[in-house]
Amino acid sequence: LQIDPSAVTAVNAKVMNESTQDVEPTQNWREATLIVDAIHCPSCAWIIEHAVKQMPRLNASDASVIDKPIEVRVDVSMRMVYLRFDADHYSLAMIQEQLANAGYPARESHAQQLQQSQFKRDLKALFLAGFGTMQAMMFGEPLYWRNADLPPATALFFAWLSALITFAVVGYAAKRFFQGAKREWQARRPAMDTLICCSILLSSGLSMLSLIRGSSEVYFDAIAMFVFVLLAGRMLESNLIQRARTSLHQAKPISNAQLELLDGTCVSPQALKLGMQLRAHQGETLVADGVVLNHACQISTAILDGESARKHLQPGAQVHAGSVVLQGDCDYLVQAIGGQTKLAQIAELSGLAMRARLPSAQRQSRLATQFTLVVLVLALLSALTWSFLQADRALAVSLSVITVACPCALALALPVTRAMAYARLQRSGVLLLRANALERLSEIDCLALDKTGTLTHFTPTQVSANNREPCDVRVEVSGSLDVVLAKAIVGAMELGSRHPLASALHWPSTLGVRDLVEHAGVGISAELVDQSENGRSLGHWQLASPTFFGLADRDAIVLKGPLGTAHFVVEERLVDDAIDAAGRLRNLLPELALLSGDHTNRVARIANSLGIEQFFARLQPEQKRAWVDAQQSLGKKVMMVGDGINDAIALAAAHLSVSFAHGSPLAHAQSDVLLLNDKLSNLPMMLEVARKSERICQQNLWFSKAYNLLMIPCAMLGWIGPTLAALGMALSSLLVTLNAARLLRESTAVPSATVRPEKTAVTLTPEKTAVAQGSTKRVIA
Amino acid sequence: MNIMLVLIPISLLLIAVAIYAFFWAVDHDQFEQLDRAARSPLEDDLQPIAESSSTSAQVTPVDHA
């Protein structure tokens, strides 16, 4: 792998610049996530933002500061409020109080109780509405037949009973709609709850009026049914969003292995408790936050802060879950577990895309408000017109118009679909890190893959428990160097390196390293010391490609030092599902390319076995970037998949970039999508889900537009009665939600026609010189 | 038709009873963890003991005799 160091520093500088923009000068900034169950439409987001922004602040002595030290973002689909505020001026309790006053009781995202009670309230309301609907219909039934047997007095009695039950339903079950309408009214942003309440009030008022006049021309059963179907829709929606939200919180890259306690016993991760004393061996990952005990150790915190330098920790130092032990055992006292660890907090933050507000979602919110106003005007106009034509029908017609119009379908179409797509991707270990990553994902028509670490890996198939030797490496030595010493030297030098190749060279070593320098894209150099002989120096050693040392170009890594040279021939194997995934990707995308910095023969073999026609070997990072740029200047939307630091600048250039959780932090910083596991089948799955969600978004939007354009004029003409209108509105929003829920289904259109080759891993050895034949290739050598 | 005067109060009473019963059930967590209840007869009685002593990996059966 060859990298121009200056390019990497340039990318590094860019990353640094981006991150420093976010850092505020004051130290006291705090982040908090609140869950607000009352959020159900985009205008709620607006109300919450204004409520928070208008809050009086503590210590407001420095009135010169105009902009308030608080940031708030509301995610409608996830019902979450993300806050960043200066703890000198605001407290979380203050913000929660302000939100509660605005009608939005909020809780911190890790609390579970309120959620439970909300679910129970919803369940009771739904039952009452459903049961009440049936009773109201039962009592209303005789009124529909109007046969001579039924004396008018009895009919009126039944109508009164129907009214009684319906008012119980409206009073209890429809409470949340009235609360919503009140909030919308306070914010002067009428939306769907306003329409719902208008139709409920208007229809009950009309029915009551005719009841008092002694007529049994009433709509009570329709009102109860309206409330029931709407509630069912709301509950379904919040249930789906809840599922999406929990899957987001489940995304924690922690393994399931048994943990070793200091006293030698084992414990499962689920049974881990505060105050336990754990031991993590070299190479293992810490599972909890805590304090180092007993003796010093060296750890890498790359997953937490991207810092690749090893850290020497003395007893008493803080450690965090996700850190990897590099040298010595790490004994630590558990102080925070699960959701309280720093790692979990980072994982929560990684729902970055959730936090960013899409311009299209805001457009949607404005549209819903405008739509509501237009509907109210139309209802008024039709009432006026009908009062001239047929005065007794005027109120009923305007009631139908208000009831049939459904801005909810419009407002729900986008956020619900997005939430479902996120949940689906999250469940398979795909994290979307940037706003509109999903939209961009659906546009992709060209895919560029890195080879090493993406399509192939070096981890051996089996490692015996006590012998950690990877079985796929051949070592050829020359000079006075022997194989054991060569392995020990490389093992010491590669310890802590995150390059995928390094995992194959992790031999246990008692040697120590001094002045270790990683030359990006070239190799590693260090001075080796023998710790068993009082730090006797073994001289200066370098690890790099053969061409670096002026040796014959071949498929190996060369170790060179005072005692001689050693060639390490690493046999890489394809990721298990690579062939399957490549087949599916070929069906999905017109263009597929393999960009690698590796040896031409190797790249050709891999490309051939995967059926990828375009491949490029021996590429420098800038050449990868140039290829991506060239494709994009042709109007293609390129998705780049890579994991190494040599991919970082190509990732930055691509329309959408994907990296792996095991990859380098630099690659993470550039990526829009993070894959938490190594499954390549996630790539075609991702594309399928994104395209499907885009399709469903469009379907939902078209459906709600068509529905409203068709039904409102019909209602204005008096063709649709209030009962039918109520059914239509409730069902249309239910349909939109159910359509979006299709995304959650596991099988997202796997074409059955795809040839599935045998699943065994294909080992590619340099000996098998079956170099690609037949298919056309363009090779940059 | 006079039977109505008896039947309707009875039906209203039944409605009230049904709603009360359902609300009681919801309040007493009868709709929580619906899957778990179906499995509970199959679970060992020793389960709570095993959970309480979470630190030890192996659980020795308690001799009730």
Side-chain angles (χ1 to χ4, degrees):
Chain A
L1 291 163
Q2 304 193 337
I3 302 165
D4 179 8
S6 68
V8 176
T9 20
V11 175
N12 236 330
K14 192 184 162 210
V15 173
M16 288 305 292
N17 277 339
E18 277 174 6
S19 58
T20 45
Q21 277 169 7
D22 288 336
V23 177
E24 300 294 331
T26 35
Q27 285 296 306
N28 240 335
W29 280 78
R30 232 200 104 176
E31 289 205 355
T33 308
L34 298 175
I35 297 178
V36 183
D37 285 303
I39 298 177
H40 58 80
C41 65
S43 61
C44 298
W46 185 89
I47 300 169
I48 287 176
E49 281 173 16
H50 278 251
V52 172
K53 289 265 168 65
Q54 283 160 9
M55 245 171 84
R57 54 194 252 219
L58 306 168
N59 315 330
S61 53
D62 48 344
S64 57
V65 187
I66 299 160
D67 50 339
K68 297 199 167 184
I70 189 161
E71 288 168 17
V72 54
R73 287 202 201 116
V74 181
D75 187 306
V76 177
S77 57
M78 301 301 284
R79 296 182 183 181
M80 281 184 172
V81 178
Y82 300 95
L83 292 162
R84 273 185 89 229
F85 56 90
D86 190 340
D88 287 339
H89 295 290
Y90 297 99
S91 74
L92 195 58
M94 240 169 86
I95 296 168
Q96 278 173 302
E97 197 191 337
Q98 174 81 2
L99 287 181
N101 288 341
Y104 292 94
R107 67 203 143 90
E108 272 191 274
S109 64
H110 41 77
Q112 286 279 319
Q113 279 170 337
L114 223 126
Q115 205 170 300
Q116 288 283 328
S117 60
Q118 178 67 41
F119 174 73
K120 285 181 177 175
R121 271 203 303 278
D122 283 353
L123 202 59
K124 286 180 187 171
L126 187 71
F127 178 80
L128 192 77
F131 200 62
T133 304
M134 285 188 271
Q135 303 311 319
M137 280 179 167
M138 185 183 81
F139 290 124
E141 178 82 15
L143 306 181
Y144 287 105
W145 305 111
R146 311 201 183 288
N147 49 3
D149 297 353
L150 196 69
T154 316
L156 208 59
F157 178 56
F158 277 125
W160 274 104
L161 281 173
S162 185
L164 179 76
I165 299 213
T166 303
F167 281 118
V169 169
V170 170
Y172 187 86
K175 212 158 53 185
R176 64 187 289 174
F177 300 120
F178 287 107
Q179 285 166 352
K182 193 179 150 204
R183 281 194 294 266
E184 285 170 4
W185 175 248
Q186 280 167 351
R188 306 282 184 276
R189 302 265 288 199
M192 54 178 141
D193 279 354
T194 309
L195 280 186
I196 291 170
C197 290
C198 279
S199 31
I200 290 176
L201 289 178
L202 196 58
S203 50
S204 357
L206 270 182
S207 303
M208 268 322 274
L209 213 65
S210 63
L211 200 57
I212 291 165
R213 281 197 198 132
S215 147
S216 54
E217 185 79 24
V218 293
Y219 305 113
F220 290 118
D221 46 352
I223 299 168
M225 184 197 62
F226 183 54
V227 172
F228 170 65
V229 184
L230 279 176
L231 265 182
R234 284 278 167 93
M235 258 189 96
L236 181 76
E237 183 197 331
S238 53
N239 187 15
L240 288 171
I241 285 170
Q242 192 63 41
R243 268 164 70 188
R245 189 154 60 200
T246 42
S247 64
L248 177 74
H249 283 260
Q250 281 160 357
K252 287 186 200 106
I254 286 180
S255 73
N256 234 8
Q258 289 279 311
L259 309 171
E260 190 181 326
L261 292 175
L262 268 195
D263 55 9
T265 54
C266 283
V267 64
S268 70
Q270 288 78 25
L272 187 66
K273 289 198 177 64
L274 296 185
M276 283 184 173
Q277 298 186 349
L278 289 177
R279 167 168 291 168
H281 295 289
Q282 189 170 325
E284 288 180 15
T285 307
L286 305 187
V287 294
D289 288 4
V291 167
V292 179
L293 300 169
N294 301 339
H295 47 79
C297 60
Q298 291 185 14
I299 63 162
S300 155
T301 55
I303 191 172
L304 292 162
D305 49 16
E307 179 76 50
S308 59
R310 58 184 65 198
K311 289 182 178 161
H312 299 261
L313 295 181
Q314 297 300 322
Q318 279 286 332
V319 283
H320 295 288
S323 310
V324 179
V325 183
L326 294 182
Q327 207 154 25
D329 292 343
C330 177
D331 298 344
Y332 61 109
L333 178 72
V334 177
Q335 288 180 329
I337 52 173
Q340 306 301 315
T341 60
K342 195 174 166 192
L343 179 66
Q345 286 157 12
I346 291 173
E348 198 166 324
L349 285 182
S350 68
L352 272 176
M354 304 287 181
R355 311 168 52 160
R357 276 187 293 146
L358 279 178
S360 50
Q362 272 186 315
R363 224 171 31 236
Q364 220 66 32
S365 136
R366 270 203 305 278
L367 198 66
T369 303
Q370 286 162 3
F371 177 84
T372 309
L373 293 174
V374 168
V375 167
L376 289 175
V377 170
L378 284 178
L380 203 66
L381 282 180
S382 40
L384 282 175
T385 319
W386 278 90
S387 63
F388 290 117
L389 298 172
Q390 210 178 334
D392 58 323
R393 287 193 64 191
L395 278 174
V397 167
S398 61
L399 172 64
S400 297
V401 173
I402 292 176
T403 311
V404 84
C406 188
C408 41
L410 274 178
L412 282 176
L414 216 78
V416 168
T417 315
R418 263 176 69 212
M420 295 309 124
Y422 283 135
R424 174 70 188 83
L425 291 175
Q426 192 92 50
R427 212 165 47 196
S428 309
V430 179
L431 280 181
L432 301 181
L433 300 182
R434 298 271 200 279
N436 68 20
L438 195 66
E439 287 180 351
R440 278 185 280 152
L441 193 52
S442 65
E443 300 163 1
I444 295 302
D445 55 5
C446 173
L447 173 64
L449 288 158
D450 174 45
K451 183 180 69 73
T452 313
T454 301
L455 293 174
T456 62
H457 55 83
F458 296 97
T459 25
T461 37
Q462 52 183 30
V463 183
S464 55
N466 40 11
N467 180 12
R468 285 195 167 213
E469 174 145 6
C471 43
D472 292 351
V473 185
R474 279 186 302 115
V475 188
E476 298 160 11
V477 288
S478 64
S480 59
L481 192 64
D482 66 8
V483 174
V484 178
L485 182 62
K487 284 180 176 178
I489 291 172
V490 171
M493 286 172 80
E494 287 281 23
L495 193 72
S497 166
R498 289 176 69 91
H499 190 273
L501 198 56
S503 65
L505 304 174
H506 271 169
W507 289 288
S509 170
T510 53
L511 298 176
V513 285
R514 236 188 266 152
D515 306 330
L516 183 95
V517 185
E518 271 193 64
H519 309 277
V522 181
I524 305 177
S525 70
E527 189 185 347
L528 271 288
V529 286
D530 194 344
Q531 283 161 335
S532 59
E533 290 182 44
N534 282 332
R536 182 175 66 88
S537 174
L538 294 173
H540 198 73
W541 293 82
Q542 287 171 309
L543 191 66
S545 68
T547 43
F548 177 78
F549 298 107
L551 298 168
D553 187 11
R554 56 175 289 204
D555 224 355
I557 306 159
V558 176
L559 174 74
K560 195 172 183 186
L563 297 177
T565 26
H567 281 73
F568 292 85
V569 182
V570 182
E571 295 168 6
E572 57 184 346
R573 52 184 70 240
L574 276 176
V575 177
D576 284 347
D577 56 356
I579 293 177
D580 191 24
R584 282 168 69 191
L585 284 170
R586 277 203 308 274
N587 289 349
L588 284 168
L589 297 166
E591 199 163 355
L592 221 61
L594 192 58
L595 309 182
S596 178
D598 209 348
H599 196 272
T600 312
N601 286 352
R602 222 184 246 236
V603 180
R605 270 196 308 276
I606 299 280
N608 195 43
S609 64
L610 293 178
I612 297 175
E613 297 196 348
Q614 273 193 73
F615 62 88
F616 307 93
R618 286 275 181 240
L619 286 192
Q620 301 284 330
E622 308 86 75
Q623 288 174 305
K624 286 191 181 185
R625 185 194 175 125
W627 187 85
V628 170
D629 280 340
Q631 297 301 312
Q632 295 197 144
S633 64
L634 293 176
K636 290 176 189 161
K637 310 274 190 200
V638 180
M639 173 161 105
M640 171 83 199
V641 185
D643 73 314
I645 42 179
N646 59 333
D647 300 314
I649 59 172
L651 287 173
H655 188 60
L656 186 94
S657 50
V658 181
S659 71
F660 291 88
H662 66 73
S664 78
L666 188 58
H668 293 173
Q670 291 300 336
S671 48
D672 301 303
V673 179
L674 187 64
L675 303 178
L676 293 180
N677 50 37
D678 299 349
K679 277 194 207 138
L680 269 181
S681 56
N682 275 340
L683 292 176
M685 187 277 294
M686 230 161 77
L687 288 166
E688 280 160 7
V689 168
R691 289 179 184 184
K692 196 170 171 187
S693 99
E694 192 59 29
R695 255 199 327 272
I696 288 178
C697 269
Q698 294 305 324
Q699 279 171 6
N700 279 349
L701 280 177
W702 275 110
F703 167 75
S704 32
K705 277 179 195 162
Y707 166 85
N708 282 309
L709 283 178
L710 190 73
M711 298 301 256
I712 294 175
C714 287
M716 286 173 75
L717 292 173
W719 293 348
I720 298 174
T723 316
L724 206 60
L727 200 65
M729 178 203 188
L731 288 182
S732 74
S733 57
L734 203 60
L735 201 75
V736 167
T737 313
L738 285 175
N739 194 22
R742 287 196 301 149
L743 277 172
L744 282 179
R745 277 201 317 226
E746 206 59 53
S747 59
T748 39
V750 182
S752 54
T754 319
V755 187
R756 283 171 168 258
E758 66 274 32
K759 283 237 166 178
T760 48
V762 182
T763 316
L764 296 147
T765 60
E767 282 73 32
K768 289 182 195 163
T769 42
V771 182
Q773 293 168 5
S775 59
T776 52
K777 279 164 217 74
R778 288 181 279 151
V779 183
I780 299 174
Chain B
M1 272 305 187
N2 286 342
I3 192 69
M4 287 288 183
L5 296 176
V6 182
L7 288 180
I8 286 171
I10 289 177
S11 78
L12 287 178
L13 192 72
L14 285 175
I15 292 168
V17 169
I19 289 173
Y20 175 79
F22 185 82
F23 278 28
W24 180 91
V26 171
D27 284 335
H28 287 76
D29 295 341
Q30 297 301 302
F31 294 93
E32 305 288 314
Q33 297 184 324
L34 294 173
D35 314 330
R36 209 193 162 292
R39 231 182 295 129
S40 66
L42 303 174
E43 284 169 0
D44 275 343
D45 289 343
L46 284 176
Q47 202 71 23
I49 301 169
E51 272 169 11
S52 65
S53 64
S54 53
T55 45
S56 68
Q58 74 273 31
V59 178
T60 48
V62 179
D63 190 6
H64 289 290

